[in-house]
């Protein structure tokens, strides 16, 4: 593949992400998007794109309110999409969080690193284009859990509290207006009476009680098979599997009672795509930014998400099978080989 092909693909990918960054100068926005790809933390980004550090920080405040939906809508258009919902801990190694800081960072026990670490919690909503099998993040929302709110309010600070389910339900109508959503999928943490909406697939805990034949029964008592039952007042198709891929007994469901077991499992397994995107976001340095204000932390998170959008569009358009780290290095070579940011988007002269 020629350098010109790579260069044009990168050019197109950056343009795909530019539209929502309308309150930032175009050349500045391009530099920030590239910096988010090839730099890790804010200071490293400023060095990579030759931008004054304080200028970069002020731009993060502007980016905090940028709308990912607008960029992704231009890519997937009216294709049928699957909505995937999950959350993650955004570790902040240098955050001042003992036990909770004003920027919303909290200390929690990380099972992976086996120690207490400061973190910010993120709600992530992605869509999978079922026509192209491409997956993009449409919303990434830092949120404060109840225990953090209690600590902050004890200090006399005003804090707006919303659960991750409330955040999801508030943003859902806007997403349904923009996208052709044919299904929704999430794990057991998101299941309640308000989220059991049309065409929703999820998982129940073994203690969840469903109604069958007028009796309330824990799903853990059902033998392997499929059942038409009612859960929290909603009819569902329940699918019980004794040993799901070596993970033991699992209890999947769909609010579309006409779904086959294959339909339910296919939708459920598409949920893995959001785990991949979370991993790729962290590979681009999502956890390398820690700031004193909630707005700036949000801006850094949104910048990294937009930068990942550029990486994904670039990757999909060229059919590359590379992870975010290797794509970041490739994009840096293209960027440098093209003469840096000044030559990447030269203005066309009128004839």
């Amino acid at each position: 593949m020629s350098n010109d092909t790579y260069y044009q693909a990168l050019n197109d990918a950056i343009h795909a992400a530019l539209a929502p960054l309308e309150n930032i100068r175009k050349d500045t926005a391009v530099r920030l998007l590239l910096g988010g790809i090839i730099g890790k933390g804010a200071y490293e980004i400023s060095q990579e794109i030759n931008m004054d550090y304080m200028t970069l920080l002020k731009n993060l405040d502007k980016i905090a309110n940028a709308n990912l939906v607008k960029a992704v809508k231009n890519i997937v258009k009216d294709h049928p999409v699957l909505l995937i919902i999950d959350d993650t801990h955004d570790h902040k190694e240098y955050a001042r969080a003992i036990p909770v800081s004003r920027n919303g960072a909290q200390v929690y026990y990380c099972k992976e690193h086996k120690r207490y670490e400061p973190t910010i919690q993120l709600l992530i909503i992605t869509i999978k284009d079922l026509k192209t099998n491409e997956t993009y993040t449409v919303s990434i929302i830092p949120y404060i859990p109840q225990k953090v709110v209690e600590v902050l309010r004890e200090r006399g600070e005003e804090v707006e509290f919303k659960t991750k389910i409330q955040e999801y339900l508030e943003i859902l109508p806007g997403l349904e207006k923009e996208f052709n959503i044919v299904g929704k999928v999430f794990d057991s943490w998101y299941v309640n009476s308000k989220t059991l909406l049309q065409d929703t697939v999820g998982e129940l805990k073994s203690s969840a009680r469903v109604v069958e034949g007028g009796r309330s029964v824990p799903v853990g008592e059902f033998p392997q098979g499929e059942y038409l039952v009612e859960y929290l007042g909603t009819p569902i198709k329940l699918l019980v599997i004794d040993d799901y891929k070596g993970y033991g007994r699992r209890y999947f469901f769909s609010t579309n009672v006409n779904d086959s077991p294959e339909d339910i499992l296919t939708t459920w397994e598409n949920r893995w795509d959001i785990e991949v995107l979370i991993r790729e976001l962290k590979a681009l340095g999502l956890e390398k930014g820690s700031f004193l204000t909630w707005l700036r932390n949000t801006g850094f998170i949104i910048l990294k998400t937009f930068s990942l959008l550029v990486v994904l569009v670039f990757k999909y358009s060229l059919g590359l099978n590379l992870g975010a780290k290797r794509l970041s290095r490739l994009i840096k070579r293209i960027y440098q080989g093209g003469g840096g940011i000044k030559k990447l988007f030269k203005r066309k002269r009128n004839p």
Side-chain angles (χ1 to χ4, degrees):
M1 203 174 294
S2 70
N3 288 337
D4 286 345
T5 302
Y6 281 122
Y7 188 86
Q8 186 59 50
L10 177 57
N11 190 324
D12 294 342
I14 290 174
H15 274 295
L18 276 179
L21 303 177
E22 52 196 19
N23 62 339
I24 301 174
R25 279 179 43 176
K26 181 179 176 181
D27 60 336
T28 300
V30 173
R31 293 166 69 190
L32 290 167
L33 288 171
L34 281 168
I37 296 169
I38 63 180
K40 293 290 186 179
Y43 183 74
E44 184 182 355
I45 291 172
S46 70
Q47 296 296 299
E48 290 284 358
I49 62 177
N50 193 27
M51 180 179 289
D52 177 75
Y53 183 63
M54 291 307 299
T55 300
L56 172 68
L57 296 182
K58 290 176 182 177
N59 277 301
L60 290 181
D61 293 345
K62 295 179 182 178
I63 290 172
N65 296 313
N67 189 349
L68 283 158
V69 170
K70 184 175 182 180
V72 177
K73 173 65 175 179
N74 289 336
I75 298 168
V76 304
K77 306 185 187 307
D78 292 321
H79 296 175
V81 301
L82 176 67
L83 202 67
I84 311 171
I85 303 95
D86 203 356
D87 55 89
T88 187
H89 285 278
D90 176 12
H91 295 199
K92 298 298 181 187
E93 185 176 355
Y94 301 107
R96 300 180 181 126
I98 307 176
V100 174
S101 66
R102 293 183 63 187
N103 64 11
Q106 60 178 291
V107 172
Y108 90 114
Y109 185 76
C110 175
K111 294 180 181 178
E112 181 181 353
H113 298 145
K114 300 187 186 306
R115 65 189 182 197
Y116 285 92
E117 296 180 325
T119 181
I120 291 175
Q121 291 186 254
L122 302 177
L123 169 66
I124 301 179
I125 302 176
T126 65
I127 59 167
K128 179 166 185 175
D129 186 331
L130 297 177
K131 184 174 180 179
T132 64
N133 283 325
E134 298 168 358
T135 307
Y136 305 97
T137 300
V138 291
S139 182
I140 183 165
I141 306 170
Y143 71 93
I144 302 176
Q146 181 67 57
K147 61 182 179 180
V148 175
V149 171
E150 291 171 358
V151 173
L152 293 177
R153 286 179 176 169
E154 284 175 2
R155 296 178 187 166
E157 298 183 31
E158 294 184 8
V159 187
E160 181 180 2
F161 171 67
K162 294 179 184 177
T163 67
K164 57 189 178 185
I165 290 178
Q166 286 174 318
E167 296 278 11
Y168 160 57
L169 291 173
E170 284 187 10
I171 198 171
L172 181 59
L175 296 177
E176 290 180 320
K177 182 178 179 181
E178 292 292 338
F179 297 105
N180 178 19
I181 299 172
V182 298
K184 313 169 192 72
V185 60
F186 44 69
D187 62 23
S188 59
W189 291 102
Y190 287 85
V191 181
N192 71 17
S193 59
K194 294 181 180 180
T195 60
L196 293 174
L197 303 171
Q198 183 179 1
D199 297 316
T200 294
V201 168
E203 184 179 18
L204 297 178
K205 297 177 181 179
S206 61
S207 59
R209 302 183 73 90
V210 298
V211 176
E212 184 192 39
R215 297 184 310 119
S216 175
V217 186
V219 294
E221 294 185 8
F222 284 79
Q224 178 165 298
E226 53 184 295
Y227 306 88
L228 293 178
V229 297
E230 187 176 286
Y231 183 60
L232 299 178
T234 299
I236 63 170
K237 167 75 71 70
L238 174 66
L239 178 63
V240 180
I241 299 179
D242 279 341
D243 188 16
Y244 177 71
K245 297 188 175 182
Y247 292 102
R249 294 198 100 217
R250 303 290 286 273
Y251 310 92
F252 303 113
F253 73 86
S254 174
T255 57
N256 183 346
V257 296
N258 295 316
D259 274 354
S260 67
E262 292 75 18
D263 293 332
I264 295 173
L265 289 178
T266 297
T267 300
W268 174 257
E269 288 165 4
N270 276 324
R271 199 190 71 85
W272 174 250
D273 287 13
I274 197 170
E275 303 287 354
V276 175
L277 285 195
I278 290 170
R279 185 179 64 206
E280 298 289 60
L281 262 175
K282 293 184 177 182
L284 289 185
L286 175 70
E287 299 176 324
K288 298 298 182 181
S290 184
F291 307 95
L292 294 178
T293 68
W294 184 255
L295 182 68
R296 195 156 292 171
N297 272 311
T298 301
F300 185 80
I301 290 163
I302 298 295
L303 172 62
K304 287 296 180 180
T305 309
F306 269 101
S307 293
L308 179 60
L309 177 63
V310 173
V311 170
L312 293 174
V313 174
F314 176 75
K315 172 182 177 176
Y316 294 145
S317 67
L318 295 177
L320 300 174
N321 187 23
L322 300 173
K325 279 188 177 180
R326 292 181 64 187
L327 285 166
S328 173
R329 291 194 290 268
L330 174 59
I331 288 172
K332 184 173 183 177
R333 288 199 298 271
I334 296 168
Y335 155 76
Q336 291 177 331
I341 197 67
K342 291 182 179 179
K343 289 187 66 177
L344 191 57
F345 289 92
K346 292 190 295 186
R347 294 181 180 178
K348 294 181 180 179
R349 294 181 179 180
N350 294 323

